[in-house]
């Protein structure tokens, strides 16, 4: 077992617990709400980091997949099927738990899809769309790839904004919480704030561990080879189009899970989550984190999203991300400066000394 | 659908198609000189319209003749936008050494976000419009039973003029030829004594100027708002790809085709989906014929996508 690989994860976990205790001591519990949301955005961002940083394929459609996840569950868990409750099939589904009974704000009973089912449906739908879109899109390179993914993002944005049952410009609200286990619910309930903070980071860390393993595996090496030079990677026997497609689907699944969880946490979703500026924001975070650097991406994503959600940037919110993009691309496009800063060894230095002393 | 309706749709298609064509031409000019796509192209149109509106408001207080103040307004707004375009290039793009495509895409996207946000803070989220060049909102010309605004003729006329002037510029002037040389082969262009960096700046200036002119001409019809840039950029890119990147004359045909398709789609689908149609066309063209519809297949196979 390679412990070194997981040491940063453990340290990260300690930092997370420390932050929670800090907010408790400083009596700024409300910061946890933004931190939880930032955690969910981080899931989408680390997925994009895999695609953009490691495989070198720019995608301006990440918010589209985020919205697919969010809107799938929003639609399914607010769809009222109570009228059909007497039909045999629906009744059967209700009994085995595919549908659950809930109450809306007016106190009327509604029969909707169980969030657990919509969770898997959201993953399935976004993976299927990513697969179908990915086959032709990933043949393109450079500008063409950027524009095609941007076009995909715009299609999703215009569709959710213009379709009646997706709530048009208002979006969908009153989404029930996502019960993972009895007593553990993803919801925006103020009393469950601390619990939700940890649930969010649980998901982030699970996603992170999967990606860390992937990066340090044969697949990860193949992806980096593909980033370096595609024809060379092909010549080495790497099925580049297969790898590109797989990582595209993977990043779509990450985005869709992030969208799913954030939708349940906020108990609502609007078309702005699908907008182009959100996609560009994810790209900015990956670029700022050092491209092929999952820790850098995670940490910058957490900080920038947290500041943005706290409203620190005011009405220049998007402009800040634009400036970050420009400055980084002008002065440090390959991410050398940031990679040395966010390097595992750099971050682990103080801890390594500790470990040595103990021995 | 009556014949009058068909004509009406065609004319509204020509109007929006001309706008797309102008954006696409702006893309093509920069692409020809540098090989990059300027994602901030749509912002030039927005800036042109917005600056013109402010100047016109200022001028109309002491110039009585509407046409004179409009003329000065448009001229000044074009000049200011050209200066902005040149500044963008000099500040952000000139200093790059051997930029990768990813780098250029990301920088121009960043620029477009920056310009949009600054425009939001300088002006506000209100929708603005210049006055109609001739007549007003309700004046119309009757063509085969269809009623069109005289501004439509202005838009079509300006587009035609831009295409003619540009093709003369690129074919017969020495600077135009130098710019074409840059796109064909940079190293040889340097060996011929062409200052490539200045050519890139010039290409940004020309496309900013064209964008500003387009922004002024369409402002009475489509109104100007701070966020009009990026949808226009996507449509303009669709048209540029449709006609084949770098080919300005084909871009006009492609623009008119897309505009007419879009205006007919409104009669079948809700208005919110018009963007979707254009982008689905873009995706299909990208997947099956990335070299564009108006370029022979053999020529297209030589390019790399």
């Amino acid at each position: 077992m390679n412990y070194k690989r997981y040491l940063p994860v453990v340290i990260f976990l300690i930092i997370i617990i420390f932050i929670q205790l800090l907010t408790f001591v400083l009596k700024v519990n409300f910061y946890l709400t933004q931190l939880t949301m930032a955690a969910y955005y981080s899931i989408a961002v680390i997925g994009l980091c895999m695609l953009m940083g490691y495989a070198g394929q720019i995608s301006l459609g990440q918010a589209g997949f985020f919205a697919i996840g969010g809107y799938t569950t929003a639609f399914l868990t607010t769809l009222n099927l109570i009228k059909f409750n007497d039909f045999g099939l629906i009744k059967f589904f209700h009994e085995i738990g595919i549908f659950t009974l809930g109450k809306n704000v007016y106190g009327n009973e509604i029969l909707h899809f169980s969030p657990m089912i919509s969770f898997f449906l959201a993953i399935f739908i976004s993976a299927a769309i990513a697969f179908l879109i990915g086959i032709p899109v990933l043949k393109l390179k450079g500008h063409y790839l950027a524009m095609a993914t941007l076009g995909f993002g715009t299609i999703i944005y215009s569709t959710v904004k213009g379709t009646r049952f997706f709530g048009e410009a208002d979006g969908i609200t009153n989404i029930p919480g996502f019960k993972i286990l009895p007593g553990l619910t993803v919801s925006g309930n103020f009393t469950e704030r601390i619990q939700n903070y940890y649930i969010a980071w649980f998901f982030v860390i699970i996603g992170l561990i999967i990606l860390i393993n992937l990066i340090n595996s044969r697949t990860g090496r193949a992806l980096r080879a593909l980033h370096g030079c595609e024809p060379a990677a092909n010549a080495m026997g790497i099925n580049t189009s297969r790898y590109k497609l797989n990582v595209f689907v993977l990043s779509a699944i990450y985005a869709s899970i992030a969208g799913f969880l954030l939708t349940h946490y906020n108990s609502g979703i609007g078309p702005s989550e699908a907008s182009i500026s959100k996609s560009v924001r994810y790209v900015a975070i990956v670029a700022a984190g050092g491209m092929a650097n999952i820790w850098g991406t995670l940490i910058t994503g957490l900080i920038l999203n947290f500041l943005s959600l706290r409203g620190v940037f005011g009405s220049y919110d998007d402009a800040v991300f634009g400036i970050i993009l420009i400055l980084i691309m002008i002065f440090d496009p390959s991410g050398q400066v940031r990679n040395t800063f966010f390097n595992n060894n750099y971050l682990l230095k103080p801890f390594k000394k500790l470990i040595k002393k103990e021995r | 659908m009556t014949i009058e309706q068909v004509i009406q749709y065609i004319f509204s298609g020509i109007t929006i198609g001309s706008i797309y064509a102008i954006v696409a031409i702006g893309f093509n000019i920069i692409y020809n000189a540098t090989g990059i796509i300027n994602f901030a192209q749509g912002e030039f149109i927005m800036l042109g319209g917005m600056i013109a509106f402010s100047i016109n408001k200022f001028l109309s207080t002491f110039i009585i003749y509407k046409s004179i103040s409009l003329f000065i307004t448009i001229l000044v707004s074009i000049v200011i936008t050209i200066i902005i375009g040149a500044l963008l290039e000099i500040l952000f793009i000139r200093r790059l050494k051997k930029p990768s495509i990813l780098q250029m895409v990301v920088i121009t996207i960043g620029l477009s976000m920056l310009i949009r946000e600054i425009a939001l803070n300088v002006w506000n989220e209100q929708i603005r419009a210049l006055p109609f060049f001739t007549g007003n909102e309700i004046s119309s010309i009757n063509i085969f039973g269809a009623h069109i605004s005289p501004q439509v003729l202005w838009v079509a006329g300006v587009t035609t003029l831009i295409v003619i002037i540009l093709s003369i510029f690129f074919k017969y002037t020495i600077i135009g030829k130098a710019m074409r040389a840059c796109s064909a082969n940079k190293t040889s262009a340097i060996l011929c004594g062409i200052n490539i960096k200045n050519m890139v700046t010039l290409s940004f200036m020309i496309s900013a100027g064209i964008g500003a002119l387009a922004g002024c001409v369409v402002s009475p019809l489509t109104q100007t708002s701070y966020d009009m840039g990026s949808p226009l950029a996507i449509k303009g890119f669709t048209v540029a790809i449709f006609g084949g990147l770098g080919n300005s004359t084909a871009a006009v045909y492609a623009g008119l085709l897309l505009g007419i398709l879009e205006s007919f789609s409104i009669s079948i689908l809700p208005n919110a989906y018009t963007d979707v149609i254009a982008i689905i066309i873009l995706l299909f063209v990208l997947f099956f014929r990335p070299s564009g519809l108006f370029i022979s297949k053999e020529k297209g196979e030589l390019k790399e996508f």
Side-chain angles (χ1 to χ4, degrees):
Chain A
M1 194 77 174
N2 190 354
Y3 85 97
K4 242 172 131 184
R5 193 183 288 176
Y6 300 106
L7 194 58
V9 180
V10 175
I11 293 166
F12 188 63
L13 199 64
I14 294 168
I15 292 171
I16 286 165
I17 295 168
F18 177 71
I19 291 174
Q20 195 263 312
L21 294 176
L22 202 66
T23 55
F24 185 74
V25 172
L26 296 176
K27 295 213 168 62
V28 282
N29 275 338
F30 47 91
Y31 277 11
L32 286 183
T33 307
Q34 283 87 30
L35 283 167
T36 313
M37 286 166 77
Y40 287 138
Y41 281 123
S42 305
I43 298 177
V45 171
I46 56 174
L48 184 67
C49 173
M50 205 61 205
L51 178 68
M52 229 179 91
Y54 288 91
Q57 309 297 313
I58 189 169
S59 169
L60 290 168
Q62 190 74 348
F65 290 114
F66 188 93
I68 289 175
Y71 269 98
T72 307
T73 185
F75 177 66
L76 291 176
T77 55
T78 53
L79 189 69
N80 195 353
L81 294 166
I82 196 90
K83 274 185 284 184
F84 311 106
N85 198 15
D86 298 331
F87 286 105
L89 196 64
I90 303 262
K91 208 171 189 179
F92 173 69
F93 279 162
H94 186 184
E95 273 159 15
I96 63 169
I98 289 179
F99 295 124
T100 45
L101 212 53
K103 273 197 176 128
N104 65 5
V105 276
Y106 308 109
N108 303 323
E109 277 196 325
I110 57 167
L111 185 68
H112 58 78
F113 275 85
S114 149
M116 198 55 105
I117 299 299
S118 71
F119 179 67
F120 292 109
L121 269 177
I123 292 175
F124 175 74
I125 291 173
S126 58
I129 292 176
F131 185 77
L132 291 177
I133 287 281
I135 291 171
V137 161
L138 292 170
K139 281 183 192 158
L140 305 165
K141 288 188 191 73
H143 301 125
Y144 297 88
L145 179 65
M147 258 305 176
T149 50
L150 186 66
F152 167 75
T154 316
I155 289 179
I156 300 288
Y157 178 63
S158 307
T159 313
V160 295
K161 207 177 166 187
T163 310
R164 200 171 48 81
F165 52 76
F166 287 141
E168 292 179 341
D170 296 333
I172 302 176
T173 48
N174 297 324
I175 294 156
F178 172 39
K179 252 189 214 126
I180 307 167
L181 290 169
L184 280 181
T185 316
V186 177
S187 70
N189 210 332
F190 290 131
T191 51
E192 293 162 350
R193 203 183 253 148
I194 295 171
Q195 175 195 336
N196 263 294
Y197 174 76
Y198 284 111
I199 292 172
W201 285 110
F202 170 76
F203 278 106
V204 174
I205 285 172
I206 293 283
L208 205 60
I209 289 173
I210 293 173
L211 288 191
I212 288 172
N213 277 322
L214 200 65
I215 290 162
N216 293 309
S217 71
R218 192 186 163 84
T219 318
R221 288 192 294 275
L223 290 177
R224 267 169 287 174
L226 186 143
H227 188 182
C229 178
E230 206 179 316
N234 245 329
M236 294 301 290
I238 295 167
N239 189 346
T240 47
S241 53
R242 167 83 67 74
Y243 274 112
K244 278 199 281 188
L245 187 60
N246 286 351
V247 75
F248 188 66
V249 172
L250 183 77
S251 82
I253 290 173
Y254 268 70
S256 129
I257 291 175
F260 173 90
L261 292 169
L262 190 65
T263 303
H264 279 289
Y265 183 66
N266 287 343
S267 81
I269 188 167
S272 73
E273 291 297 344
S275 65
I276 300 301
S277 58
K278 274 276 155 68
S279 288
V280 175
R281 181 172 294 200
Y282 299 145
V283 171
I285 289 168
V286 175
M291 287 292 185
N293 189 333
I294 207 144
W295 285 106
T297 305
L298 183 66
I299 293 164
T300 42
L302 182 60
I303 294 169
L304 287 178
N305 270 324
F306 177 70
L307 292 178
S308 160
L309 288 166
R310 288 293 314 162
V312 174
F313 305 137
S315 63
Y316 287 98
D317 205 24
D318 280 342
V320 168
F321 285 89
I323 290 172
I324 289 171
L325 269 182
I326 296 168
L327 291 181
I328 278 169
M329 279 299 151
I330 289 175
F331 295 111
D332 185 26
S334 54
Q336 280 160 347
V337 177
R338 284 155 291 144
N339 279 343
T340 41
F341 181 71
F342 286 123
N343 201 328
N344 272 357
N345 292 328
Y346 189 91
L347 290 176
L348 290 181
K349 247 181 201 165
F351 299 98
K352 266 182 187 161
K353 276 180 192 164
L354 274 179
I355 293 166
K356 270 183 188 167
K357 271 180 191 169
E358 275 174 15
R359 275 178 192 165
Chain B
M1 200 182 282
T2 60
I3 187 82
E4 282 86 9
Q5 271 178 314
V6 171
I7 294 169
Q8 194 82 50
Y9 278 132
I10 287 175
F11 272 106
S12 81
I14 287 173
T15 321
I16 42 178
S18 314
I19 303 164
Y20 298 159
I22 295 176
V23 185
I25 291 169
F27 272 125
N28 283 336
I29 291 168
I30 293 180
Y31 179 81
N32 273 343
T34 61
I36 61 174
I37 297 285
N38 175 24
F39 279 74
Q41 185 62 37
E43 263 60 35
F44 289 142
I45 293 183
M46 181 269 291
L47 279 179
M50 282 295 200
I51 293 170
F53 176 84
S54 297
I55 295 170
N56 193 45
K57 210 171 145 193
F58 171 70
L59 279 182
S60 57
T61 49
F62 52 86
I63 295 180
I64 306 145
Y65 295 106
K66 198 185 102 184
S67 51
I68 295 174
S69 78
L70 250 180
F71 182 74
I72 299 172
T73 297
I74 292 171
L75 218 59
V76 174
S77 131
I78 290 172
V79 170
I80 292 176
T81 317
I82 285 177
I83 293 169
I84 292 173
L87 277 179
L88 287 184
E89 202 278 334
I90 290 166
L91 285 177
F92 298 110
I93 293 167
R94 188 173 268 245
R95 62 175 70 239
L96 299 175
K97 286 169 197 153
K98 275 200 178 173
S100 71
I101 288 177
L102 183 80
Q103 214 177 330
M104 294 310 314
V105 169
V106 171
I107 287 180
T108 50
I109 288 177
L111 283 177
S112 91
M113 280 176 94
L114 199 60
I115 296 172
R116 199 181 323 143
E117 212 79 341
I118 290 171
L120 176 63
N121 281 280
V122 171
W123 293 280
N124 49 24
E125 70 289 339
Q126 257 175 36
I127 293 169
R128 296 177 160 80
L130 281 177
F132 278 72
F133 290 8
T134 40
N136 53 26
E137 287 84 353
I138 47 168
S139 62
S140 66
I141 300 168
N142 192 333
I143 296 177
F144 304 119
H147 296 276
I148 59 160
S149 162
Q151 194 67 27
V152 171
L153 300 181
W154 274 102
V155 173
V158 167
T159 313
T160 323
L161 203 68
I162 287 175
V163 173
I164 292 171
I165 291 175
L166 276 181
S167 52
I168 291 172
F169 172 73
F170 279 116
K171 262 193 187 135
Y172 300 109
T173 63
I174 193 80
I175 299 174
K177 281 177 186 170
M179 282 177 81
R180 281 200 296 152
C182 288
S183 78
N185 191 329
K186 273 193 183 157
T187 328
S188 336
I190 293 171
L191 288 173
C192 292
I194 297 167
N195 188 336
I196 282 204
K197 297 211 156 169
N198 288 351
M199 288 299 142
V200 174
T201 316
L202 187 65
S203 75
F204 267 81
M205 287 163 75
I206 293 175
S207 73
I210 290 174
L213 177 59
C216 295
V217 178
V218 301
S219 176
L221 283 174
T222 60
Q223 270 90 13
T224 314
S225 64
Y226 80 98
D227 59 351
M228 73 185 292
S230 56
L232 266 182
I234 294 175
K235 300 283 181 58
F237 185 79
T238 309
V239 168
I241 292 278
F242 215 15
L245 260 184
N247 188 345
S248 289
T249 334
V252 176
Y253 301 134
L256 294 182
L257 192 64
L258 185 73
I260 290 170
L261 270 178
E262 209 168 86
S263 71
F264 273 101
S265 80
I266 294 172
S267 66
I268 312 165
L269 284 168
N271 195 13
Y273 293 121
T274 47
D275 287 357
V276 176
I277 300 239
I279 292 154
I280 286 174
I281 292 174
L282 165 72
L283 290 180
F284 271 95
V285 174
L286 276 177
F287 298 158
F288 298 111
R289 191 101 191 229
S291 53
L293 292 185
F294 298 93
I295 282 180
S296 69
K297 218 179 171 187
E298 290 75 23
K299 239 184 189 173
E301 276 168 2
L302 291 173
K303 287 188 178 176
E304 200 189 331
F305 298 98

